[in-house]
Amino acid sequence: MFEEKLLRDGKCILLAYDQGLEHGPTDFNDVNVDPTYIMDLAEKGQFNGVIFQRGIAEKYYRKESGIPLIVKLNGKTRLEKGDPISHQLCSVKEAVDLGAVAVGYTIYVGSSHEAEMFEEFSKIVEEAHDNELAVIVWMYPRGEGIADEFDKDILAYSARIALELGADIVKMKYNKNQDDLRWIVKAAGKTKVVIAGGSKLSDEELLKEVKEEIACSTCGLAIGRNIWQRNNPYEIIKKLKAIVWG
Ligand code: FBP
């Protein structure tokens, strides 16, 4: 279906680089603060896609690299207080013009602003699919309605909402419990599950987690800091590919 352009043998490793908006430059060093470095990394590492906000895509994405572009359509800073809401900042049309094959959107399930994000997202799904773009939804349970964002039932509920709302791929966090993850993947049905990387782990920890995730029939990774915060990312990329494609 629409997500096929992002998959190889049904799996993918996507390189996420929207942290400049979500977290700020504190995530970066002298090297990875430059989006050109990330574009080179995506190309040399042969990722199945690179995730940029519109501004970075406009100025740094190289279509000739052959690396599929995913444009993140909403975003927010870590500075805002209260229940999280992330509004749409870029249109599907603009993503198409930038050469995207997919768009991304974050929903904070359980936030008191959930309904606004559902509404915005539903329109995006319609428009993206009309343009044959895949839709990836970041499903992050957060806000007043959520006591524990890593609770099995809450995560499975979030994955199910992704299916109900028409997402092709759902990006989830791993709660380090394989039984829970198997159930979450089942709840997502035909919506494919990719796992976010999170803050930087040791090689051993990261590889162990990814092995566990892939064993639960997830479709792969949408990972950022655990790749581009490493001094030599190519070694870990090779190992991650060996796990994802077995
Ligand atoms: P990482 O692999 O670096 O964790 O990136 C995944 C991601 O979903 C990014 O796309 C996004 O910027 C960030 O995490 C948001 O994380 P959080 O809301 O937990 O700070």
PDB file of all heavy atoms in Angstrom, residues 185-215:
ATOM      1  N   VAL A 185       1.269  -4.788  18.890  1.00  0.00           N
ATOM      2  CA  VAL A 185       1.359  -5.019  17.437  1.00  0.00           C
ATOM      3  C   VAL A 185       0.052  -5.638  16.931  1.00  0.00           C
ATOM      4  O   VAL A 185      -0.453  -5.276  15.869  1.00  0.00           O
ATOM      5  CB  VAL A 185       2.589  -5.900  17.099  1.00  0.00           C
ATOM      6  CG1 VAL A 185       2.568  -6.354  15.645  1.00  0.00           C
ATOM      7  CG2 VAL A 185       3.886  -5.147  17.404  1.00  0.00           C
ATOM      8  N   LYS A 186      -0.512  -6.563  17.710  1.00  0.00           N
ATOM      9  CA  LYS A 186      -1.812  -7.165  17.322  1.00  0.00           C
ATOM     10  C   LYS A 186      -2.905  -6.106  17.287  1.00  0.00           C
ATOM     11  O   LYS A 186      -3.724  -6.069  16.368  1.00  0.00           O
ATOM     12  CB  LYS A 186      -2.206  -8.243  18.330  1.00  0.00           C
ATOM     13  CG  LYS A 186      -1.617  -9.576  17.997  1.00  0.00           C
ATOM     14  CD  LYS A 186      -2.420 -10.703  18.608  1.00  0.00           C
ATOM     15  CE  LYS A 186      -1.771 -12.005  18.182  1.00  0.00           C
ATOM     16  NZ  LYS A 186      -1.572 -12.932  19.267  1.00  0.00           N
ATOM     17  N   ALA A 187      -2.891  -5.238  18.295  1.00  0.00           N
ATOM     18  CA  ALA A 187      -3.926  -4.198  18.373  1.00  0.00           C
ATOM     19  C   ALA A 187      -3.835  -3.252  17.173  1.00  0.00           C
ATOM     20  O   ALA A 187      -4.845  -2.717  16.726  1.00  0.00           O
ATOM     21  CB  ALA A 187      -3.777  -3.411  19.672  1.00  0.00           C
ATOM     22  N   ALA A 188      -2.630  -3.072  16.644  1.00  0.00           N
ATOM     23  CA  ALA A 188      -2.440  -2.163  15.502  1.00  0.00           C
ATOM     24  C   ALA A 188      -2.916  -2.778  14.197  1.00  0.00           C
ATOM     25  O   ALA A 188      -3.053  -2.082  13.183  1.00  0.00           O
ATOM     26  CB  ALA A 188      -0.973  -1.756  15.392  1.00  0.00           C
ATOM     27  N   GLY A 189      -3.170  -4.074  14.165  1.00  0.00           N
ATOM     28  CA  GLY A 189      -3.694  -4.739  12.959  1.00  0.00           C
ATOM     29  C   GLY A 189      -2.778  -4.554  11.763  1.00  0.00           C
ATOM     30  O   GLY A 189      -1.578  -4.796  11.844  1.00  0.00           O
ATOM     31  N   LYS A 190      -3.362  -4.078  10.649  1.00  0.00           N
ATOM     32  CA  LYS A 190      -2.566  -3.894   9.419  1.00  0.00           C
ATOM     33  C   LYS A 190      -1.775  -2.592   9.420  1.00  0.00           C
ATOM     34  O   LYS A 190      -1.059  -2.297   8.464  1.00  0.00           O
ATOM     35  CB  LYS A 190      -3.476  -3.946   8.192  1.00  0.00           C
ATOM     36  CG  LYS A 190      -3.958  -5.350   7.876  1.00  0.00           C
ATOM     37  CD  LYS A 190      -4.677  -5.384   6.547  1.00  0.00           C
ATOM     38  CE  LYS A 190      -5.122  -6.809   6.251  1.00  0.00           C
ATOM     39  NZ  LYS A 190      -5.913  -6.890   5.027  1.00  0.00           N
ATOM     40  N   THR A 191      -1.921  -1.790  10.450  1.00  0.00           N
ATOM     41  CA  THR A 191      -1.047  -0.611  10.596  1.00  0.00           C
ATOM     42  C   THR A 191       0.276  -1.105  11.160  1.00  0.00           C
ATOM     43  O   THR A 191       0.312  -1.765  12.199  1.00  0.00           O
ATOM     44  CB  THR A 191      -1.692   0.435  11.538  1.00  0.00           C
ATOM     45  OG1 THR A 191      -2.896   0.896  10.929  1.00  0.00           O
ATOM     46  CG2 THR A 191      -0.776   1.612  11.781  1.00  0.00           C
ATOM     47  N   LYS A 192       1.356  -0.811  10.449  1.00  0.00           N
ATOM     48  CA  LYS A 192       2.659  -1.360  10.833  1.00  0.00           C
ATOM     49  C   LYS A 192       3.254  -0.559  11.996  1.00  0.00           C
ATOM     50  O   LYS A 192       3.106   0.654  12.054  1.00  0.00           O
ATOM     51  CB  LYS A 192       3.596  -1.340   9.639  1.00  0.00           C
ATOM     52  CG  LYS A 192       3.019  -2.152   8.481  1.00  0.00           C
ATOM     53  CD  LYS A 192       4.030  -2.503   7.454  1.00  0.00           C
ATOM     54  CE  LYS A 192       3.586  -3.676   6.618  1.00  0.00           C
ATOM     55  NZ  LYS A 192       2.265  -3.507   6.002  1.00  0.00           N
ATOM     56  N   VAL A 193       3.954  -1.271  12.864  1.00  0.00           N
ATOM     57  CA  VAL A 193       4.504  -0.624  14.065  1.00  0.00           C
ATOM     58  C   VAL A 193       6.017  -0.437  13.916  1.00  0.00           C
ATOM     59  O   VAL A 193       6.745  -1.405  13.669  1.00  0.00           O
ATOM     60  CB  VAL A 193       4.215  -1.472  15.326  1.00  0.00           C
ATOM     61  CG1 VAL A 193       4.841  -0.838  16.563  1.00  0.00           C
ATOM     62  CG2 VAL A 193       2.709  -1.643  15.524  1.00  0.00           C
ATOM     63  N   VAL A 194       6.478   0.801  14.070  1.00  0.00           N
ATOM     64  CA  VAL A 194       7.914   1.060  14.176  1.00  0.00           C
ATOM     65  C   VAL A 194       8.185   1.624  15.574  1.00  0.00           C
ATOM     66  O   VAL A 194       7.312   2.254  16.173  1.00  0.00           O
ATOM     67  CB  VAL A 194       8.462   2.036  13.096  1.00  0.00           C
ATOM     68  CG1 VAL A 194       8.352   1.447  11.703  1.00  0.00           C
ATOM     69  CG2 VAL A 194       7.772   3.383  13.159  1.00  0.00           C
ATOM     70  N   ILE A 195       9.400   1.392  16.051  1.00  0.00           N
ATOM     71  CA  ILE A 195       9.727   1.798  17.418  1.00  0.00           C
ATOM     72  C   ILE A 195      10.715   2.968  17.400  1.00  0.00           C
ATOM     73  O   ILE A 195      11.668   2.970  16.616  1.00  0.00           O
ATOM     74  CB  ILE A 195      10.312   0.603  18.219  1.00  0.00           C
ATOM     75  CG1 ILE A 195       9.353  -0.608  18.183  1.00  0.00           C
ATOM     76  CG2 ILE A 195      10.629   1.005  19.652  1.00  0.00           C
ATOM     77  CD1 ILE A 195       8.046  -0.436  18.933  1.00  0.00           C
ATOM     78  N   ALA A 196      10.459   3.937  18.289  1.00  0.00           N
ATOM     79  CA  ALA A 196      11.340   5.106  18.423  1.00  0.00           C
ATOM     80  C   ALA A 196      12.594   4.702  19.201  1.00  0.00           C
ATOM     81  O   ALA A 196      12.571   3.757  20.002  1.00  0.00           O
ATOM     82  CB  ALA A 196      10.609   6.218  19.163  1.00  0.00           C
ATOM     83  N   GLY A 197      13.664   5.441  18.952  1.00  0.00           N
ATOM     84  CA  GLY A 197      14.941   5.083  19.580  1.00  0.00           C
ATOM     85  C   GLY A 197      15.081   5.542  21.025  1.00  0.00           C
ATOM     86  O   GLY A 197      15.586   4.832  21.873  1.00  0.00           O
ATOM     87  N   GLY A 198      14.644   6.790  21.309  1.00  0.00           N
ATOM     88  CA  GLY A 198      14.832   7.356  22.643  1.00  0.00           C
ATOM     89  C   GLY A 198      16.227   7.906  22.831  1.00  0.00           C
ATOM     90  O   GLY A 198      17.007   7.997  21.875  1.00  0.00           O
ATOM     91  N   SER A 199      16.547   8.264  24.073  1.00  0.00           N
ATOM     92  CA  SER A 199      17.858   8.852  24.319  1.00  0.00           C
ATOM     93  C   SER A 199      18.954   7.792  24.159  1.00  0.00           C
ATOM     94  O   SER A 199      18.683   6.592  24.187  1.00  0.00           O
ATOM     95  CB  SER A 199      17.913   9.520  25.689  1.00  0.00           C
ATOM     96  OG  SER A 199      17.468   8.614  26.649  1.00  0.00           O
ATOM     97  N   LYS A 200      20.199   8.270  24.022  1.00  0.00           N
ATOM     98  CA  LYS A 200      21.287   7.384  23.593  1.00  0.00           C
ATOM     99  C   LYS A 200      21.563   6.253  24.594  1.00  0.00           C
ATOM    100  O   LYS A 200      21.692   6.486  25.796  1.00  0.00           O
ATOM    101  CB  LYS A 200      22.548   8.211  23.380  1.00  0.00           C
ATOM    102  CG  LYS A 200      23.628   7.446  22.652  1.00  0.00           C
ATOM    103  CD  LYS A 200      24.794   8.358  22.350  1.00  0.00           C
ATOM    104  CE  LYS A 200      26.062   7.569  22.176  1.00  0.00           C
ATOM    105  NZ  LYS A 200      27.231   8.429  22.403  1.00  0.00           N
ATOM    106  N   LEU A 201      21.652   5.044  24.054  1.00  0.00           N
ATOM    107  CA  LEU A 201      21.958   3.849  24.855  1.00  0.00           C
ATOM    108  C   LEU A 201      23.333   3.344  24.471  1.00  0.00           C
ATOM    109  O   LEU A 201      23.874   3.707  23.419  1.00  0.00           O
ATOM    110  CB  LEU A 201      20.944   2.741  24.549  1.00  0.00           C
ATOM    111  CG  LEU A 201      19.460   3.041  24.798  1.00  0.00           C
ATOM    112  CD1 LEU A 201      18.590   1.924  24.233  1.00  0.00           C
ATOM    113  CD2 LEU A 201      19.200   3.209  26.292  1.00  0.00           C
ATOM    114  N   SER A 202      23.886   2.434  25.290  1.00  0.00           N
ATOM    115  CA  SER A 202      25.136   1.770  24.887  1.00  0.00           C
ATOM    116  C   SER A 202      24.813   0.860  23.699  1.00  0.00           C
ATOM    117  O   SER A 202      23.646   0.495  23.489  1.00  0.00           O
ATOM    118  CB  SER A 202      25.681   0.937  26.045  1.00  0.00           C
ATOM    119  OG  SER A 202      24.837  -0.181  26.244  1.00  0.00           O
ATOM    120  N   ASP A 203      25.842   0.464  22.954  1.00  0.00           N
ATOM    121  CA  ASP A 203      25.618  -0.440  21.810  1.00  0.00           C
ATOM    122  C   ASP A 203      24.865  -1.689  22.260  1.00  0.00           C
ATOM    123  O   ASP A 203      23.905  -2.111  21.620  1.00  0.00           O
ATOM    124  CB  ASP A 203      26.961  -0.884  21.200  1.00  0.00           C
ATOM    125  CG  ASP A 203      27.589   0.230  20.386  1.00  0.00           C
ATOM    126  OD1 ASP A 203      27.142   1.390  20.517  1.00  0.00           O
ATOM    127  OD2 ASP A 203      28.538  -0.065  19.630  1.00  0.00           O
ATOM    128  N   GLU A 204      25.323  -2.273  23.373  1.00  0.00           N
ATOM    129  CA  GLU A 204      24.747  -3.538  23.858  1.00  0.00           C
ATOM    130  C   GLU A 204      23.262  -3.362  24.175  1.00  0.00           C
ATOM    131  O   GLU A 204      22.430  -4.171  23.776  1.00  0.00           O
ATOM    132  CB  GLU A 204      25.474  -4.043  25.120  1.00  0.00           C
ATOM    133  CG  GLU A 204      26.933  -4.420  24.917  1.00  0.00           C
ATOM    134  CD  GLU A 204      27.840  -3.220  24.604  1.00  0.00           C
ATOM    135  OE1 GLU A 204      27.577  -2.118  25.145  1.00  0.00           O
ATOM    136  OE2 GLU A 204      28.779  -3.369  23.793  1.00  0.00           O
ATOM    137  N   GLU A 205      22.954  -2.284  24.903  1.00  0.00           N
ATOM    138  CA  GLU A 205      21.545  -2.051  25.289  1.00  0.00           C
ATOM    139  C   GLU A 205      20.664  -1.852  24.053  1.00  0.00           C
ATOM    140  O   GLU A 205      19.580  -2.421  23.960  1.00  0.00           O
ATOM    141  CB  GLU A 205      21.441  -0.780  26.152  1.00  0.00           C
ATOM    142  CG  GLU A 205      21.916  -0.948  27.582  1.00  0.00           C
ATOM    143  CD  GLU A 205      22.034   0.410  28.282  1.00  0.00           C
ATOM    144  OE1 GLU A 205      22.449   1.408  27.646  1.00  0.00           O
ATOM    145  OE2 GLU A 205      21.712   0.455  29.472  1.00  0.00           O
ATOM    146  N   LEU A 206      21.168  -1.041  23.124  1.00  0.00           N
ATOM    147  CA  LEU A 206      20.365  -0.744  21.935  1.00  0.00           C
ATOM    148  C   LEU A 206      20.111  -2.016  21.124  1.00  0.00           C
ATOM    149  O   LEU A 206      18.975  -2.305  20.731  1.00  0.00           O
ATOM    150  CB  LEU A 206      21.075   0.305  21.073  1.00  0.00           C
ATOM    151  CG  LEU A 206      20.352   0.679  19.779  1.00  0.00           C
ATOM    152  CD1 LEU A 206      19.022   1.382  20.063  1.00  0.00           C
ATOM    153  CD2 LEU A 206      21.214   1.590  18.898  1.00  0.00           C
ATOM    154  N   LEU A 207      21.168  -2.794  20.898  1.00  0.00           N
ATOM    155  CA  LEU A 207      21.017  -4.000  20.070  1.00  0.00           C
ATOM    156  C   LEU A 207      20.089  -5.007  20.746  1.00  0.00           C
ATOM    157  O   LEU A 207      19.263  -5.651  20.086  1.00  0.00           O
ATOM    158  CB  LEU A 207      22.388  -4.626  19.783  1.00  0.00           C
ATOM    159  CG  LEU A 207      23.320  -3.731  18.949  1.00  0.00           C
ATOM    160  CD1 LEU A 207      24.741  -4.288  18.911  1.00  0.00           C
ATOM    161  CD2 LEU A 207      22.787  -3.529  17.535  1.00  0.00           C
ATOM    162  N   LYS A 208      20.192  -5.104  22.059  1.00  0.00           N
ATOM    163  CA  LYS A 208      19.311  -6.022  22.805  1.00  0.00           C
ATOM    164  C   LYS A 208      17.841  -5.584  22.637  1.00  0.00           C
ATOM    165  O   LYS A 208      16.976  -6.398  22.323  1.00  0.00           O
ATOM    166  CB  LYS A 208      19.711  -6.007  24.294  1.00  0.00           C
ATOM    167  CG  LYS A 208      18.833  -6.869  25.183  1.00  0.00           C
ATOM    168  CD  LYS A 208      19.345  -6.820  26.635  1.00  0.00           C
ATOM    169  CE  LYS A 208      18.442  -7.560  27.601  1.00  0.00           C
ATOM    170  NZ  LYS A 208      17.153  -6.933  27.841  1.00  0.00           N
ATOM    171  N   GLU A 209      17.601  -4.301  22.814  1.00  0.00           N
ATOM    172  CA  GLU A 209      16.218  -3.803  22.695  1.00  0.00           C
ATOM    173  C   GLU A 209      15.666  -4.028  21.292  1.00  0.00           C
ATOM    174  O   GLU A 209      14.535  -4.464  21.124  1.00  0.00           O
ATOM    175  CB  GLU A 209      16.162  -2.298  23.004  1.00  0.00           C
ATOM    176  CG  GLU A 209      16.144  -2.037  24.478  1.00  0.00           C
ATOM    177  CD  GLU A 209      15.672  -0.625  24.845  1.00  0.00           C
ATOM    178  OE1 GLU A 209      15.143   0.093  23.973  1.00  0.00           O
ATOM    179  OE2 GLU A 209      15.852  -0.259  26.012  1.00  0.00           O
ATOM    180  N   VAL A 210      16.495  -3.742  20.293  1.00  0.00           N
ATOM    181  CA  VAL A 210      16.009  -3.862  18.911  1.00  0.00           C
ATOM    182  C   VAL A 210      15.735  -5.335  18.586  1.00  0.00           C
ATOM    183  O   VAL A 210      14.732  -5.656  17.928  1.00  0.00           O
ATOM    184  CB  VAL A 210      16.989  -3.195  17.922  1.00  0.00           C
ATOM    185  CG1 VAL A 210      16.599  -3.483  16.479  1.00  0.00           C
ATOM    186  CG2 VAL A 210      17.018  -1.690  18.165  1.00  0.00           C
ATOM    187  N   LYS A 211      16.574  -6.238  19.081  1.00  0.00           N
ATOM    188  CA  LYS A 211      16.318  -7.680  18.882  1.00  0.00           C
ATOM    189  C   LYS A 211      14.959  -8.043  19.473  1.00  0.00           C
ATOM    190  O   LYS A 211      14.165  -8.759  18.862  1.00  0.00           O
ATOM    191  CB  LYS A 211      17.405  -8.507  19.591  1.00  0.00           C
ATOM    192  CG  LYS A 211      18.538  -8.890  18.674  1.00  0.00           C
ATOM    193  CD  LYS A 211      19.542  -9.794  19.382  1.00  0.00           C
ATOM    194  CE  LYS A 211      20.893  -9.594  18.723  1.00  0.00           C
ATOM    195  NZ  LYS A 211      22.038  -9.809  19.586  1.00  0.00           N
ATOM    196  N   GLU A 212      14.706  -7.558  20.672  1.00  0.00           N
ATOM    197  CA  GLU A 212      13.428  -7.860  21.342  1.00  0.00           C
ATOM    198  C   GLU A 212      12.259  -7.307  20.526  1.00  0.00           C
ATOM    199  O   GLU A 212      11.246  -7.971  20.334  1.00  0.00           O
ATOM    200  CB  GLU A 212      13.417  -7.237  22.747  1.00  0.00           C
ATOM    201  CG  GLU A 212      14.352  -7.939  23.713  1.00  0.00           C
ATOM    202  CD  GLU A 212      14.414  -7.243  25.085  1.00  0.00           C
ATOM    203  OE1 GLU A 212      13.617  -6.306  25.332  1.00  0.00           O
ATOM    204  OE2 GLU A 212      15.258  -7.640  25.891  1.00  0.00           O
ATOM    205  N   GLU A 213      12.424  -6.086  20.026  1.00  0.00           N
ATOM    206  CA  GLU A 213      11.327  -5.436  19.299  1.00  0.00           C
ATOM    207  C   GLU A 213      11.015  -6.172  17.988  1.00  0.00           C
ATOM    208  O   GLU A 213       9.855  -6.395  17.658  1.00  0.00           O
ATOM    209  CB  GLU A 213      11.720  -3.981  18.977  1.00  0.00           C
ATOM    210  CG  GLU A 213      11.840  -3.101  20.209  1.00  0.00           C
ATOM    211  CD  GLU A 213      12.711  -1.869  19.981  1.00  0.00           C
ATOM    212  OE1 GLU A 213      13.077  -1.560  18.827  1.00  0.00           O
ATOM    213  OE2 GLU A 213      13.026  -1.200  20.985  1.00  0.00           O
ATOM    214  N   ILE A 214      12.077  -6.552  17.279  1.00  0.00           N
ATOM    215  CA  ILE A 214      11.874  -7.216  15.991  1.00  0.00           C
ATOM    216  C   ILE A 214      11.251  -8.603  16.192  1.00  0.00           C
ATOM    217  O   ILE A 214      10.424  -9.052  15.389  1.00  0.00           O
ATOM    218  CB  ILE A 214      13.205  -7.285  15.200  1.00  0.00           C
ATOM    219  CG1 ILE A 214      13.672  -5.868  14.832  1.00  0.00           C
ATOM    220  CG2 ILE A 214      13.100  -8.165  13.956  1.00  0.00           C
ATOM    221  CD1 ILE A 214      12.752  -5.094  13.895  1.00  0.00           C
ATOM    222  N   ALA A 215      11.599  -9.242  17.286  1.00  0.00           N
ATOM    223  CA  ALA A 215      11.024 -10.566  17.595  1.00  0.00           C
ATOM    224  C   ALA A 215       9.522 -10.475  17.863  1.00  0.00           C
ATOM    225  O   ALA A 215       8.824 -11.489  17.867  1.00  0.00           O
ATOM    226  CB  ALA A 215      11.731 -11.177  18.799  1.00  0.00           C
TER     227      ALA A 215
END
